[in-house]
Amino acid sequence: LAKTTQPISMDSYEGQEVNITCSHNNIATNDYITWYQQFPSQGPRFIIQGYKTKVTNEVASLFIPADRKSSTLSLPRVSLSDTAVYYCLVGDIQGGSYIPTFGRGTSLIVHP
Amino acid sequence: GAGVSQSPRYKVTKRGQDVALRCDPISGHVSLYWYRQALGQGPEFLTYFNYEAQQDKSGLPNDRFSAERPEGSISTLTIQRTEQRDSAMYRCASSLAPGRINEKLFFGSGTQLSVL
């Protein structure tokens, strides 16, 4: 199982772009990268998923370099409501026994 | 239902009592997962089901913990002879089907268990 490493915490200000990088040096060929967001008192919520290059949706962008040993979640123009914990998960989602495994995540605090 | 429903929302019990935590997944979702989350930590995997079959229970801490999903829908996580160290938020998640691209988990609000 690929291990992920991400910063424990980050601070930003409203209107700024935030980039959270996750390292996964031993990612396997069939592994996908998935990010979840968790607000206080709620369960994690799926944000975005990718395999390579760039993926964008209405919430965020995910940048994955060619070697796939890291990935960067990009949140454009954050607001106070983006204050949350962000988790990076790596695994073979098409495999029969994929278990989404969460680390400690990155606690993002957005300041006024 | 519209989302994953867990009950009770809060459970306070005395050490040594048994507790049963319920999860009602999104209708039609094949996979159901149980996690435990301590304050300041990420969710810790406990066990999961595809339909009624328990696929993996490697995360259950000890034999006081058990789970079932007899009809492939609602699931119950049971903790026998509770101990104070069992106090945590217990979260349930479901997903449409295993092995799909963009497969995602939908989490419930959790059950906060406090063992006195």
Side-chain angles (χ1 to χ4, degrees), chain A residues 65-85:
Chain A
D67 66 6
R68 305 199 327 121
K69 293 184 183 300
S70 66
S71 59
T72 298
L73 176 73
S74 181
L75 305 172
R77 299 180 298 282
V78 294
S79 64
L80 297 177
S81 62
D82 292 314
T83 293
V85 178

Side-chain angles (χ1 to χ4, degrees), chain A residues 32 36 38 42 44 49 93 100 103, chain B residues 35 37 42 99 101-102 105 107:
Chain A
Y32 278 70
Y36 284 81
Q38 184 174 23
Q42 294 185 24
Q49 185 179 81
I93 63 171
Chain B
Y35 288 85
Q37 187 169 20
I101 300 291
N102 280 330
L105 299 183
F107 280 83

Side-chain angles (χ1 to χ4, degrees), chain B residues 36 64-65 79 82-88 90 113 115:
Chain B
R36 177 170 69 175
R64 295 186 297 106
F65 288 72
I79 309 173
T82 53
E83 301 177 4
Q84 287 185 327
R85 60 177 172 160
D86 299 333
S87 297
Y90 288 82
L113 174 65
V115 182

Side-chain angles (χ1 to χ4, degrees), chain A residues 32 34 36 38 41-46 49 87 93-105, chain B residues 9 33 35 37 40-43 45 48 50 56 58 91 98-105 107-109:
Chain A
Y32 278 70
T34 309
Y36 284 81
Q38 184 174 23
S41 302
Q42 294 185 24
R45 180 179 74 119
F46 173 93
Q49 185 179 81
Y87 298 96
I93 63 171
Q94 291 186 288
S97 59
Y98 170 58
I99 297 172
T101 302
F102 294 79
R104 285 193 62 182
Chain B
R9 184 71 179 88
Y33 300 79
Y35 288 85
Q37 187 169 20
Q41 303 293 320
F45 169 78
Y48 89 100
N50 284 340
D56 190 311
S58 63
R91 297 196 184 276
R100 289 157 47 103
I101 300 291
N102 280 330
E103 191 56 26
K104 62 184 78 168
L105 299 183
F107 280 83
S109 297

Side-chain angles (χ1 to χ4, degrees), chain A residues 1 5 10 13 57 59 68 77 82 92 97 99 105 108 111:
Chain A
L1 187 67
T5 302
M10 292 182 69
Y13 293 89
N57 61 23
V59 176
R68 305 199 327 121
R77 299 180 298 282
D82 292 314
D92 181 3
S97 59
I99 297 172
L108 171 66
H111 302 276

